[in-house]
Amino acid sequence: MRNLPLLVKLIFLRLFPFFLGLLISTCASRYYLTLVSPGITSDGRLKKQTDLRMEEASFYGPWAYSHTTFYIDKQQLPKVLDDPNNTVFQSKEKFLLRKGDDSQLHLLFEFCYDKTKQIDIEKDMENYRFQLNGVDPTEKLVYLYPYSYFKKGKKFRQRFPFYERLAYPREHILITTGYDQLYCVRTLLGFDLTIEKQGKNFFEVTTPRNQLLYYEYEMEKEFVRFKDEEIN
């Protein structure tokens, strides 16, 4: 019994490398991803070629501003349109009309802003322009989307969509992820499938202040998912 502490130490020293490797591999797993929306995690985003532009960050608030684009596949689209977090500027019917639309490819552009700034957000969001491989979208749907958040230093970080829906049979919406909101504007874009290429594809956003935001993604028969966890 006197040698028990020594035995424990020896076991710990032998097993420590195993547990360290397990921790690293677990944290690197694609299953540990930021929840962006029902059916969407952070590995579905496009690679950002443009960092934050100062003019955009100062306009929307440097602490809260971020911009991201996600690739939405056919399985995800109905979940995106049914998301209880969607706060519409347009009628619910416009969401319903797009549910069965698998004749296009869809990208979801999102930017976040400081809600305390005096911005005519409805007017602002209508002045964005988008192109995929140099071609305009055939349709777009623009709406508000709230997140709960936490602060990392002086910057906001999205945490989860603000509302969560309980599983059947208790299907109702609860505020379970926070009591304050970070506001983001989402634009769901539809493009003709024929403009997508095998290999690299280039997505360009022109803001109302004529700033250019660039993204790219790769197709290898299917969308090549992003491997890094951080979304901001």
Side-chain angles (χ1 to χ4, degrees):
M1 296 296 289
R2 290 180 181 178
N3 293 326
L4 185 60
L6 179 60
L7 181 62
V8 171
K9 285 181 182 178
L10 287 171
I11 292 171
F12 174 77
L13 288 173
R14 287 197 171 197
L15 291 179
F16 177 74
F18 168 76
F19 285 114
L20 181 61
L22 181 64
L23 177 65
I24 292 170
S25 64
T26 301
C27 291
S29 167
R30 66 183 296 271
Y31 296 104
Y32 285 80
L33 299 165
T34 301
L35 176 67
V36 178
S37 187
I40 308 176
T41 49
S42 52
D43 65 344
R45 71 200 186 284
L46 277 56
K47 187 175 181 181
K48 189 186 295 182
Q49 298 297 326
T50 311
D51 206 348
L52 303 183
R53 293 291 184 130
M54 289 306 297
E55 190 169 349
E56 297 304 299
S58 61
F59 183 80
Y60 290 116
W63 287 5
Y65 177 66
S66 66
H67 60 92
T68 318
T69 301
F70 300 94
Y71 191 91
I72 308 299
D73 62 31
K74 294 177 184 180
Q75 289 73 34
Q76 292 171 314
L77 183 60
K79 295 177 182 178
V80 171
L81 296 171
D82 271 335
D83 190 338
N85 290 275
N86 297 346
T87 304
V88 299
F89 295 107
Q90 306 187 44
S91 67
K92 285 286 187 182
E93 286 73 24
K94 294 202 173 180
F95 283 84
L96 294 172
L97 284 172
R98 287 163 172 79
K99 272 191 189 178
D101 187 3
D102 59 0
S103 62
Q104 296 182 311
L105 69 92
H106 291 88
L107 300 179
L108 180 68
F109 174 72
E110 177 182 87
F111 69 87
C112 302
Y113 66 97
D114 185 341
K115 64 183 180 182
T116 64
K117 290 187 73 81
Q118 298 299 310
I119 300 170
D120 186 346
I121 201 69
E122 291 189 55
K123 182 178 179 182
D124 178 77
M125 67 190 189
E126 287 300 326
N127 290 318
Y128 275 80
R129 300 188 301 279
F130 307 94
Q131 287 195 326
L132 177 62
N133 296 330
V135 180
D136 293 338
T138 55
E139 62 178 22
K140 66 179 183 178
L141 181 65
V142 188
Y143 54 98
L144 266 180
Y145 195 89
Y147 287 91
S148 66
Y149 67 86
F150 67 96
K151 276 191 174 181
K152 188 175 182 179
K154 292 186 176 181
K155 290 189 176 181
F156 291 102
R157 287 291 181 265
Q158 293 122 311
R159 195 172 183 88
F160 296 109
F162 193 69
Y163 297 103
E164 289 184 358
R165 188 189 294 276
L166 292 181
Y168 180 85
R170 297 174 59 204
E171 267 190 343
H172 58 282
I173 297 168
L174 293 178
I175 300 175
T176 58
T177 60
Y179 296 97
D180 203 356
Q181 294 168 298
L182 171 65
Y183 282 108
C184 300
V185 174
R186 286 186 162 186
T187 304
L188 181 63
L189 299 156
F191 291 92
D192 191 301
L193 279 168
T194 60
I195 68 173
E196 189 172 64
K197 305 171 183 175
Q198 289 298 308
K200 285 191 177 180
N201 291 268
F202 300 94
F203 179 60
E204 181 181 297
V205 181
T206 306
T207 76
R209 285 146 295 283
N210 288 317
Q211 299 289 329
L212 295 178
L213 311 177
Y214 295 100
Y215 299 84
E216 67 178 44
Y217 68 93
E218 288 189 55
M219 290 296 293
E220 294 178 3
K221 294 186 179 178
E222 61 181 23
F223 175 73
V224 178
R225 295 195 167 271
F226 211 100
K227 293 184 174 62
D228 187 12
E229 158 63 11
E230 185 68 45
I231 69 169
N232 282 318

